[in-house]
Amino acid sequence: MLTFIGLGLYDEKDISVKGLECIKSADSVFLEGYTSRLMGADINKLEEYYGKKITFLGRADVEQHPENILKAAEEGNAVFLTGGDPMVSTTHADLRIRAKERGIKTGIIHAASIQNAVCGLSGLQNYRFGKSCSVPYPEKGWFPTTPLDTITHNIENDLHTLVFLDIKPDRHMTVGEGVSLIEQMAEKKGMKTPEIFVGIARAGSPEPVVIAGDAGKLKAADFGEPLHIIVVPAKLHLMEKEYLEIFAGL
């Protein structure tokens, strides 16, 4: 049996009761740390709270070499832990497909994800979001501009855009860095920079930071510790605008 369990947004206590009970009864516990991270708890804190030894997995361990996970699921009850909701990432869907092909029974225990958290923190209506995109750190000879294409297409269709920011083993992209890269994309393509950004830091923590405004305002703002994420709104509904004014300083 392989059960995919979402851990929620911030620390070890965000997990559901159902998820915690499943972990405690598991024979093997795996945690992937490349799509998202719980910034309020390290692996030692998770092991102490869950009462289980946890095997940490990188991207290659899941996407290229998942044999250890699948073998554990064939031999007993294995759980696969992820920050947020477990099936948001396509790599997790691929792992479930592989398990099914080997005759392994699977299950999912859902949890809060950044997709629903940003709606509550920003007041932007969830049914008005279009396709999301990710802003990666540029590399030598590689500076992608497709995120701006996604943002522009959504705005043309009066849809908001959730913009994920790159996570590396040694650094986490900030709101300011993300906004600056979007500005550079606009300059490179001869397009306008979006008029309004919403930056959010540490969703799910006791003191998240939410700031709305133009590019200059967000680049100058101090969002504090990671994780950060950006929303680029389309035309604001009256209530969305009021919410951002009250709770995000628009």
Side-chain angles (χ1 to χ4, degrees):
M1 175 77 180
L2 177 60
T3 306
F4 295 81
I5 302 177
L7 300 181
L9 295 168
Y10 186 68
D11 62 22
E12 76 279 9
K13 295 183 180 179
D14 282 348
I15 191 171
S16 67
V17 173
K18 185 185 294 184
L20 181 58
E21 290 176 348
C22 187
I23 292 173
K24 288 184 176 296
S25 65
D27 299 306
S28 304
V29 181
F30 299 92
L31 169 67
E32 69 89 339
Y34 59 92
T35 60
S36 184
R37 293 176 188 167
L38 299 185
M39 301 310 294
D42 60 19
I43 193 165
N44 293 326
K45 199 171 183 180
L46 295 177
E47 288 181 334
E48 181 181 357
Y49 190 75
Y50 301 152
K52 289 285 184 175
K53 177 67 178 176
I54 297 173
T55 300
F56 185 82
L57 303 173
R59 184 181 293 275
D61 299 318
V62 180
E63 295 183 352
Q64 300 172 31
H65 310 290
E67 184 61 32
N68 288 342
I69 308 167
L70 297 172
K71 184 178 179 181
E74 286 176 328
E75 296 177 349
N77 289 323
V79 296
F80 182 83
L81 311 179
T82 70
D85 184 84
M87 300 313 293
V88 170
S89 174
T90 54
T91 185
H92 305 154
D94 177 70
L95 179 60
R96 191 180 185 207
I97 290 170
R98 294 190 192 208
K100 177 67 174 178
E101 290 173 344
R102 290 175 59 153
I104 299 169
K105 184 179 179 182
T106 63
I108 304 170
I109 299 177
H110 295 284
S113 72
I114 192 63
Q115 277 89 340
N116 50 53
V118 296
C119 295
L121 290 170
S122 68
L124 299 174
Q125 297 161 351
N126 64 345
Y127 61 85
R128 293 195 59 210
F129 277 77
K131 181 181 177 182
S132 60
C133 63
S134 298
V135 174
Y137 283 110
E139 297 178 9
K140 186 176 181 180
W142 182 68
F143 186 88
T145 58
T146 50
L148 182 62
D149 295 333
T150 299
I151 293 168
T152 302
H153 178 77
N154 283 341
I155 290 175
E156 289 172 349
N157 288 278
D158 201 24
L159 297 171
H160 308 317
T161 308
L162 184 61
V163 183
F164 293 95
L165 303 179
D166 204 356
I167 297 175
K168 296 292 188 186
D170 59 341
R171 56 180 174 162
H172 306 83
M173 187 178 292
T174 66
V175 168
E177 289 174 325
V179 171
S180 179
L181 287 169
I182 292 171
E183 284 186 310
Q184 292 175 51
M185 294 176 200
E187 182 178 358
K188 192 177 182 69
K189 295 175 71 71
M191 300 169 64
K192 289 179 61 178
T193 298
E195 294 181 7
I196 299 175
F197 294 87
V198 182
I200 297 173
R202 297 174 304 286
S205 73
E207 295 183 358
V209 172
V210 186
I211 302 174
D214 62 17
K217 178 179 178 180
L218 265 69
K219 287 192 297 180
D222 180 8
F223 283 87
E225 294 297 310
L227 294 172
H228 295 186
I229 197 163
I230 294 171
V231 184
V232 180
K235 183 178 180 181
L236 295 172
H237 180 275
L238 197 61
M239 185 174 291
E240 292 177 317
K241 184 174 183 293
E242 183 180 11
Y243 197 103
L244 286 172
E245 288 172 345
I246 294 172
F247 296 107
L250 180 65

